Amino acid sequence: MTADIIEISRLALHDQVASRLRTMLVEGHIAPGAKLNERELCLQLRVSRTPLREAIKLLAAEGLVDLLPNRGAVAVKLTEADVLNTFEVLAMLEGMSGELAAKRITDEELAEVRALHYEMMACFARRDLSGYYRLNARIHTAINEAAGNPVLSSTYRSINARVQSLRFRTNQNDAKWKHAVEEHEQMIVALAARDAAGMRKVLISHVMRKRDTVLELMRTGQIYPQAHTAS
């Protein structure tokens, strides 16, 4: 029994560290391309190296961290070609998720998506970008899960992970943020109407608009500037 409790506690710590490190990466507290300094992160997160290393392995599997020979763990930094290729696939996955979700979503799942949407709108009203983004990501995940296709869900998680931090930055312009909110309102309307074609259209448009904003920010140096590091 004691061994079971210790194992559960160890796994819970590993998950907590991964969650905190994931937020640091997505929100840019660790700069893209920066090496993850284990000693500094252990001090900052108040954990030993074992759960930190387990968390880093998990985030590497998610695509947020690259494990490089002779360099260790590095926060992922994408090229313009990476962005174009990734968002091209992601738009199709999101479109398929929306189309299938509109056909298969249960009343309970729809109520949950709606509740998340209202919470997200409250964050938008407060200009709480961090809270808004977390709820936004949960909405996209909930739509993906409502599609009822586990192969689609696992593929979506894998592809989406690599652009999470870039998606976070696309709403830092107020006009673009407002437009993203309007698109989310369209998603709720289409879901409630079980409008599969409408959901596919708005989600593809939503993701491609994100792609264009990311490319614009990259080309003007607003993404991947000389930023804070993890060391």
Side-chain angles (χ1 to χ4, degrees), residues 8 21 34 52 68 88 98 114-115 120-121 139 142 158 183 194 202 211 231:
I8 290 170
L21 197 52
L52 177 66
L68 304 178
E88 185 174 66
R114 222 185 230 121
M120 186 185 77
M121 291 298 290
I139 289 169
S158 171
E183 287 177 329
R194 269 55 176 192
V202 70
R211 177 206 63 187
S231 58

Side-chain angles (χ1 to χ4, degrees), residues 25-149:
L25 288 160
V26 168
E27 297 189 4
H29 301 297
I30 298 175
K35 185 178 186 300
L36 274 62
N37 186 307
E38 289 188 4
R39 183 177 62 82
E40 293 292 337
L41 286 170
C42 285
L43 290 171
Q44 189 173 354
L45 300 175
R46 298 181 181 179
V47 294
S48 67
R49 293 206 174 197
T50 298
L52 177 66
R53 286 174 176 171
E54 290 176 348
I56 288 172
K57 286 178 185 176
L58 175 62
L59 296 177
E62 290 181 7
L64 285 170
V65 170
D66 286 327
L67 299 177
L68 304 178
N70 305 317
R71 282 201 67 195
V74 175
V76 70
K77 182 175 182 178
L78 303 182
T79 65
E80 284 192 23
D82 292 330
V83 169
L84 285 166
N85 293 331
T86 303
F87 274 89
E88 185 174 66
V89 175
L90 188 60
M92 296 303 104
L93 294 173
E94 291 255 24
M96 182 182 292
S97 294
E99 182 177 3
L100 292 177
K103 295 175 181 177
R104 299 172 179 173
I105 195 166
T106 65
D107 290 342
E108 292 77 13
E109 288 172 330
L110 178 59
E112 176 62 18
V113 171
R114 222 185 230 121
L116 291 170
H117 177 75
Y118 291 143
E119 289 182 56
M120 186 185 77
M121 291 298 290
C123 288
F124 173 66
R126 295 193 300 268
R127 294 304 189 264
D128 173 9
L129 181 60
S130 181
Y132 174 93
Y133 179 78
R134 282 194 291 272
L135 288 159
N136 182 298
R138 286 176 64 188
I139 289 169
H140 281 273
T141 298
I143 291 170
N144 177 264
E145 290 174 351
N149 186 318

